Amino acid sequence: MTDRSKKYFNPYFGGVMVGLLMLLTFYITGRGLGASGAVKNTVVTAMHSIAPEHTEESTYMSRFLSDDEHPMNNWLVFEVLGVIAGAFLSGSLAGRLKLKVEHSPKITSRRRLVFALLGGLLFGIGSQLGRGCTSGAALSGMASLSTAGFISMMSIFGTAFIAAYFFRKNWI
Amino acid sequence: MGPLIPQGIISGEWNNVFALLIGVVFGFFLEGSGFSSSRKLAGVFYGYDFIVLKFFFTAAITAAVGMIYFGYVGWIDLDMIYVNQSYVSSLIIGGVIMGLGFIMGGFCPGTSVCGAAIGKIDAWVFTGGMFIGIFIFSEAFPLFEGLYNSDNLGSIKIYESLGISRAFFVFALILVALGMFYVTGIIQKKVKKVEY
Amino acid sequence: MKDTNIRTNRLSIAVLFFVAILLIGFITLSKPDFEYGFTTSETLDQILSMEDEMTPDEAKEIVFDETPGYKFIDIRNPYEYVKGNIEGSVNIPFQNFLADENTEFFDEMLEDSITLVVYGWDQTEANSSWMILKQLGYSNVKILMGGYGFYSGETFDMYSESEIPQYFVEEPKYNFLEIMESMAGGAIIEETKVYEKVVPVRKKKKSVVEGGC
Amino acid sequence: MNLRYIFFAALLVVLGAGLFFLPEKTNTNEMAPEKLHAELFDQTRYVSTDEVAERIINQDPSLFLIDVRTADYYAEYSLPGAANIPLEDLLSPNWEDYLTQEYMDVVFFSNGDIYAEQAWMLANRMGYKNFYIMKGGLNCWFETIIKPVKPESTASNNEFDLYKFRNGASQYFTGGELILSEEIVAEAITVTRKKKKTVASGGC
C-alpha cells in the first residue's frame, strides 16, 4: 500500500459506520439510501423546463411530475446534495481536493473520459430499468433483505466480474 | 416506535432535512473509505483492492442484523420498512447494464457524486453520462415498458423466496462474508500491487 | 504502525457502539404482561375442532359422579352466581379474568392438568371467556353448551319437536328456505343470493414509503 | 491476522447466531390480550337485527355483511348482499382485503351468535377495525324481522312502532319489491328514522 491510500479509512470501519447510518435512516424514514433517483429527478426537472409539453406527454417522465410537488423537492435530491457536501468535507480534511482525471498509466485521459461517459450512460439506463443503483437497490435492498436487492447486487457485480477481463487495460 | 416519519412521529416535512444530514454522513464515509477513486473501486474486479466488497458487505450485514434486532426490541416495525419490488427480469437486465457501466466507467451513481465533489473530472463526465443515459431511457421508454413491468414478484424478502428461515439466511450471509474477507486478504497479498 | 493502530481503534469504537445500541435495546425491552399462547390460525383450528364443547348431559354426569380433574367456572356476576350455580363451581366474573390471582389460579389448573369448564347463562355468554382463555394458551379450557340455563333445566323446552338439542345454538332453529318460500308465495327472490358487493378498496398502509432510487 | 479482526468476526457470528433465538414474525399489529379482553365488555360490537334490516332497506353503502356459516347454509339462505366467508376460511389470504378495509362497517353473522363472535374476535385480534356482530344471528332475524310477533295490546307505543317497522321489513325481505306497496315502505322507514334509538332495543 502506498502512503496515500493509508489516509483512507479502514474499509470495515467505513462499512460499519454506513451500516449504522443505514439503520438510522431506516429508523427515521423507513427506507434506505439512494443516489440515482436524484439524478433522475434532476433530468425530469431539466426536461420539464426545456420542453414542458414533451415531458408531460412522455410516459416515463410524466409519472414523476405532479402538480403539487416539484420533482426537486424530493428527499433523494437532498440526500445527494448532502453527499456532495460530505464528500467535499472528507476530501478537504484528507487533502484530496484536486482537479484531475484519474486513469491507469497505460491509457490516455481522453480514453478514460470516453469510457467514463459510456459507463455513466449505461448506468443511467440500467439504474432506471433496475429501479435503483448500487446504493439504492443493492445496498439498501440487501440491508432490508429484499430479494430485489440481492438480485440487483449479484447481477451488477456478476456482470462486472465477467466483463472485467475485456476492460483490464483500462484499469491495471 | 420507528420508522419515525411513516408512523407520523416526526412530520414528513422533516424528511428533506434528515435526507440532507444523512447524505452528509453518507458522503463523508463514502469518500473517506476511498469510493471517490474509480481505480480503487475497480480494484475489486482485478484483485488489487477489495474495499468495495469489504465495505459493501460490512454495511449490508451491520444494517440487516441491526434491523432484525431493532425489530425484536420494538424500535422498528419491520412491516413498515420499504422493500423493493422484485421485477425479476428488469432487475437482472438492468443489473447487467449497470455491471457493464460499472466496469467501463469505474463508478456508480453515489460514488461518482463523491468523486465529482472532490474534483475528479472523470466523475463529472460519468455523472454527465448518467444524465444522458436517463434521458435516453425515458425517451425510449415505450421500448422498455414491457420489460420494465414484467415478472413482478412483489415486495418479497430473499429468505422467503429461497424458502429458508430468516436467521439461517443471515447467518449464512455472515459466514460467506467472513469467508470472503479472509480470502480476499490472501488474494490481495498475491496480486501484483497497482499504483494509483 | 502507530497509524494503523489508531485506525483499528476507530473500528473497535464503531463496533462497540453498535453492540452498545443493541444492548440498550435489550435492557429497555419490556415484556408485555400477557401474551397469546396460540396464533390466530391455531385458535381457529381449536374452534373448528369443536372438541372443547361440553354438553349439559356430560356436565351433569361429571358433577354427579364427582369425576376428578374438572373445575367449573361461572363467568357471570356474583349476583347471578348466588342465585344458582353448578355444584363445586367457582365464580370468576369475566371482567376479572386477567387479575393476578385469577391468572395464577388458571396457571395452577393448567399445571395440575385440571380441565376448566367455563359457563354462563347460555353458551353465547361464556363464549368470549372461553376464547380469551384459549388464545392466552390455556389449552385445558372447555365451554359448557347451553350454559347454566340448560344445565339447571330452566331453559329446556320439553315441547320442542326438534331432534337437535336446543343448546346447539348455531343450528338454524327454523327452515329458513321454507319460511321464505311460504311467505313469498313460492317465489323466492333470486337476488338475495347474488353477490353484489364491490371489492372494497384495500386499506393503504400509510406506512409503505416510496422507493429508493 | 490481527487479533481484533478475529474478535470482530466472532462477535458477528455470535450476533448472527443470536438471530436463531428471535421470533421470525413479530406481529406488532396484533391487539394485546388485555385490550381484546376489555373490548369484549363493550356492547357496541353488537348491532341488532332491526338496525341491519334498516340499513339494508336504505341501501347503506357502508354496510358490509359477512356470512360466516358454511357455503351450504349460505346457498340456502343468506341476507341480501352478504358475502360468504366461512369461519374456517377467515384467515385465508383471499379474504384479507375484506378484513383490512376501513371504510365499511363489517357485520358478521351466523345462525346464532357464537360463530360470528369468534370471527369478530379473530378479526379484531389481528388489529383490524370496524367489525360488528349481528346480535342473535339469523335465528333472531327470523324471529324479529321475517316473522315479527305482535306485541300485547298493553304494550307501549314504541313496541307497536317497532312492530310496524318489522312488518314492513318483513314484506320487503320476503315479498320482494313486487308486491310491496310504496306506502308501507315509506311508513316503515319514517318510523325507524324517528325511533332510531328504540329500534335497537327490541328482539333477542
Side-chain angles (χ1 to χ4, degrees):
Chain A
M1 284 284 152
T2 59
D3 221 17
R4 236 184 54 206
S5 68
K6 266 197 173 169
K7 282 187 209 153
Y8 288 120
F9 293 141
N10 178 334
Y12 298 119
F13 170 66
V16 171
M17 289 314 283
V18 169
L20 289 174
L21 178 71
M22 267 204 284
L23 261 178
L24 183 74
T25 314
F26 275 115
Y27 177 66
I28 294 174
T29 65
R31 65 194 149 206
L33 304 162
S36 61
V39 183
K40 174 189 71 197
N41 281 25
T42 318
V43 171
V44 172
T45 314
M47 281 297 296
H48 195 232
S49 53
I50 297 167
E53 277 169 29
H54 178 73
T55 315
E56 273 154 28
E57 276 164 23
S58 152
T59 35
Y60 188 68
M61 283 201 253
S62 58
R63 63 172 76 184
F64 304 109
L65 289 171
S66 70
D67 290 335
D68 43 284
E69 196 129 356
H70 196 264
M72 288 306 267
N73 183 17
N74 178 289
W75 73 283
L76 274 168
V77 175
F78 281 85
E79 193 213 281
V80 168
L81 288 177
V83 168
I84 295 172
F88 185 80
L89 184 71
S90 158
S92 54
L93 286 178
R96 277 192 291 267
L97 292 184
K98 196 181 170 196
L99 270 182
K100 67 163 186 171
V101 181
E102 192 184 30
H103 59 89
S104 162
K106 289 177 197 160
I107 57 167
T108 59
S109 290
R110 208 185 119 112
R111 185 183 157 105
R112 168 72 191 116
L113 290 183
V114 169
F115 270 95
L117 185 71
L118 280 176
L121 207 139
L122 287 175
F123 231 112
I125 297 172
S127 65
Q128 296 314 302
L129 194 56
R131 291 179 168 76
C133 58
T134 18
S135 43
L139 188 59
S140 305
M142 274 173 77
S144 62
L145 296 177
S146 76
T147 307
F150 282 85
I151 295 177
S152 228
M153 187 270 293
M154 287 200 284
S155 83
I156 293 174
F157 284 93
T159 314
F161 262 111
I162 295 165
Y165 177 80
F166 304 104
F167 297 98
R168 64 192 181 282
K169 202 184 150 211
N170 285 6
W171 302 107
I172 320 181
Chain B
M1 238 167 94
L4 299 180
I5 289 175
Q7 298 260 35
I9 297 170
I10 297 182
S11 114
E13 285 141 28
W14 285 88
N15 234 334
N16 292 345
V17 178
F18 281 113
L20 193 69
L21 293 175
I22 287 165
V24 169
V25 182
F26 187 42
F28 186 85
F29 285 106
L30 268 185
E31 207 287 331
S33 307
F35 278 77
S36 55
S37 159
S38 56
R39 297 201 65 206
K40 223 169 152 50
L41 285 167
V44 69
F45 303 114
Y46 300 100
Y48 61 81
D49 198 328
F50 283 100
I51 59 153
V52 174
L53 189 136
K54 290 173 181 171
F55 180 96
F56 203 84
F57 274 86
T58 322
I61 287 174
T62 311
V65 171
M67 281 238 280
I68 297 174
Y69 279 102
F70 273 28
Y72 176 72
V73 300
W75 285 347
I76 289 186
D77 182 353
L78 292 183
D79 292 339
M80 290 178 120
I81 295 295
Y82 171 76
V83 177
N84 333 24
Q85 303 264 314
S86 301
Y87 291 86
V88 179
S89 32
S90 84
L91 272 175
I92 292 177
I93 293 171
V96 167
I97 296 172
M98 280 192 271
L100 282 175
F102 200 175
I103 196 68
M104 284 164 79
F107 281 118
C108 58
T111 56
S112 76
V113 171
C114 283
I118 62 157
K120 294 271 165 68
I121 294 163
D122 44 342
W124 292 3
V125 174
F126 185 93
T127 316
M130 240 168 18
F131 277 92
I132 302 170
I134 291 174
F135 175 71
I136 292 174
F137 179 82
S138 51
E139 288 303 301
F141 183 65
L143 278 177
F144 295 108
E145 197 163 8
L147 181 67
Y148 187 76
N149 291 320
S150 62
D151 293 341
N152 186 8
L153 298 182
S155 295
I156 192 171
K157 302 257 181 123
I158 180 80
Y159 52 90
E160 285 163 359
S161 11
L162 294 176
I164 53 179
S165 85
R166 183 181 65 185
F168 185 80
F169 178 81
V170 177
F171 191 66
L173 184 69
I174 289 174
L175 291 187
V176 168
L178 290 176
M180 279 198 295
F181 294 160
Y182 182 69
V183 172
T184 51
I186 296 173
I187 294 174
Q188 203 164 349
K189 273 183 200 140
K190 285 194 178 154
V191 169
K192 189 168 67 99
K193 292 280 183 294
V194 173
E195 287 295 321
Y196 51 87
Chain C
M1 204 48 216
K2 196 184 158 215
D3 199 35
T4 332
N5 269 339
I6 291 168
R7 218 135 279 165
T8 333
N9 280 338
R10 205 150 52 179
L11 174 60
S12 310
I13 292 166
V15 172
L16 285 178
F17 182 64
F18 179 53
V19 174
I21 293 174
L22 293 186
L23 278 179
I24 291 170
F26 272 93
I27 291 165
T28 54
L29 179 65
S30 60
K31 219 169 143 33
D33 295 340
F34 294 98
E35 278 177 73
Y36 291 111
F38 291 113
T39 63
T40 39
S41 56
E42 281 166 351
T43 313
L44 186 58
D45 288 342
Q46 301 255 14
I47 293 169
L48 294 170
S49 73
M50 303 262 179
E51 280 164 6
D52 291 330
E53 298 190 344
M54 181 183 273
T55 62
D57 292 337
E58 277 178 85
K60 273 181 195 158
E61 228 164 79
I62 288 166
V63 174
F64 188 77
D65 299 344
E66 292 175 11
T67 319
Y70 287 95
K71 192 86 195 164
F72 287 88
I73 295 175
D74 194 317
I75 59 104
R76 297 172 299 162
N77 58 40
Y79 167 71
E80 299 275 345
Y81 176 74
V82 171
K83 275 207 316 195
N85 59 61
I86 295 177
E87 217 179 301
S89 63
V90 286
N91 179 219
I92 304 178
F94 177 57
Q95 278 89 332
N96 307 344
F97 262 35
L98 298 183
D100 286 344
E101 69 264 24
N102 292 330
T103 47
E104 272 166 33
F105 171 75
F106 295 141
D107 286 336
E108 226 170 78
M109 292 288 136
L110 183 64
E111 267 169 42
D112 300 346
S113 59
I114 288 173
T115 307
L116 300 171
V117 186
V118 291
Y119 71 91
W121 176 252
D122 53 19
Q123 189 184 350
T124 312
E125 196 181 358
N127 184 46
S128 45
S129 318
W130 172 72
M131 283 276 286
I132 279 283
L133 286 182
K134 204 79 209 182
Q135 293 187 71
L136 283 172
Y138 295 103
S139 49
N140 58 332
V141 183
K142 291 193 180 226
I143 182 165
L144 181 62
M145 293 173 88
Y148 185 68
F150 265 89
Y151 178 88
S152 62
E154 284 172 55
T155 24
F156 185 67
D157 180 5
M158 55 174 63
Y159 303 107
S160 168
E161 288 167 7
S162 168
E163 285 170 19
I164 306 160
Q166 288 194 354
Y167 46 77
F168 281 99
V169 279
E170 278 298 329
E171 291 297 326
K173 279 195 209 162
Y174 317 98
N175 189 333
F176 297 148
L177 196 60
E178 217 169 73
I179 293 177
M180 291 305 286
E181 275 171 359
S182 68
M183 294 193 67
I188 191 139
I189 322 153
E190 201 51 43
E191 203 194 348
T192 54
K193 267 175 255 167
V194 176
Y195 192 103
E196 54 186 26
K197 281 283 172 186
V198 256
V199 179
V201 192
R202 199 196 156 98
K203 174 178 136 191
K204 195 169 162 67
K205 270 196 195 168
K206 63 175 169 200
S207 52
V208 175
V209 273
E210 270 168 46
C213 288
Chain D
M1 278 289 269
N2 193 321
L3 253 178
R4 278 200 185 87
Y5 283 132
I6 296 173
F7 174 71
F8 293 147
L11 186 75
L12 203 52
V13 171
V14 169
L15 280 177
L19 298 180
F20 284 100
F21 299 100
L22 302 186
E24 189 129 320
K25 192 95 185 138
T26 46
N27 191 350
T28 43
N29 289 331
E30 215 163 71
M31 186 180 269
E34 300 97 302
K35 200 163 170 234
L36 187 61
H37 178 243
E39 289 226 340
L40 283 165
F41 310 143
D42 193 350
Q43 296 298 313
T44 52
R45 69 180 185 280
Y46 288 114
V47 291
S48 69
T49 48
D50 300 297
E51 205 177 318
V52 171
E54 191 202 347
R55 290 177 72 171
I56 295 175
I57 293 170
N58 289 341
Q59 298 186 330
D60 186 341
S62 65
L63 177 74
F64 187 37
L65 292 162
I66 294 183
D67 188 341
V68 299
R69 304 171 305 158
T70 58
D72 288 347
Y73 278 130
Y74 177 72
E76 198 178 305
Y77 175 76
S78 192
L79 296 182
N84 181 220
I85 307 181
L87 189 56
E88 52 191 339
D89 295 338
L90 186 73
L91 302 177
S92 113
N94 298 349
W95 300 113
E96 213 186 327
D97 287 357
Y98 291 85
L99 301 182
T100 52
Q101 60 80 33
E102 55 184 14
Y103 306 109
M104 291 199 254
D105 296 335
V106 175
V107 178
F108 291 116
F109 68 91
S110 56
N111 286 332
D113 280 317
I114 294 183
Y115 290 163
E117 189 176 65
Q118 286 166 341
W120 182 89
M121 267 183 113
L122 289 174
N124 241 32
R125 171 174 161 184
M126 287 188 286
Y128 306 140
K129 302 240 151 43
N130 288 353
F131 298 111
Y132 298 90
I133 303 165
M134 187 170 89
K135 180 97 181 134
L138 283 180
N139 284 333
C140 184
W141 173 264
F142 270 81
E143 282 158 18
T144 53
I145 305 296
I146 305 293
K147 290 197 147 180
V149 182
K150 197 172 182 192
E152 304 271 319
S153 51
T154 53
S156 69
N157 274 345
N158 280 351
E159 276 178 63
F160 275 100
D161 284 346
L162 182 62
Y163 177 66
K164 266 193 213 159
F165 161 71
R166 285 175 172 176
N167 250 342
S170 175
Q171 294 261 3
Y172 178 88
F173 287 110
T174 55
E177 291 94 324
L178 298 172
I179 59 165
L180 195 64
S181 73
E182 280 298 313
E183 195 189 353
I184 299 173
V185 171
E187 191 193 351
I189 290 168
T190 41
V191 166
T192 40
R193 279 207 185 123
K194 201 170 66 194
K195 300 286 171 196
K196 206 164 192 177
K197 281 198 180 107
T198 51
V199 161
S201 64
C204 304

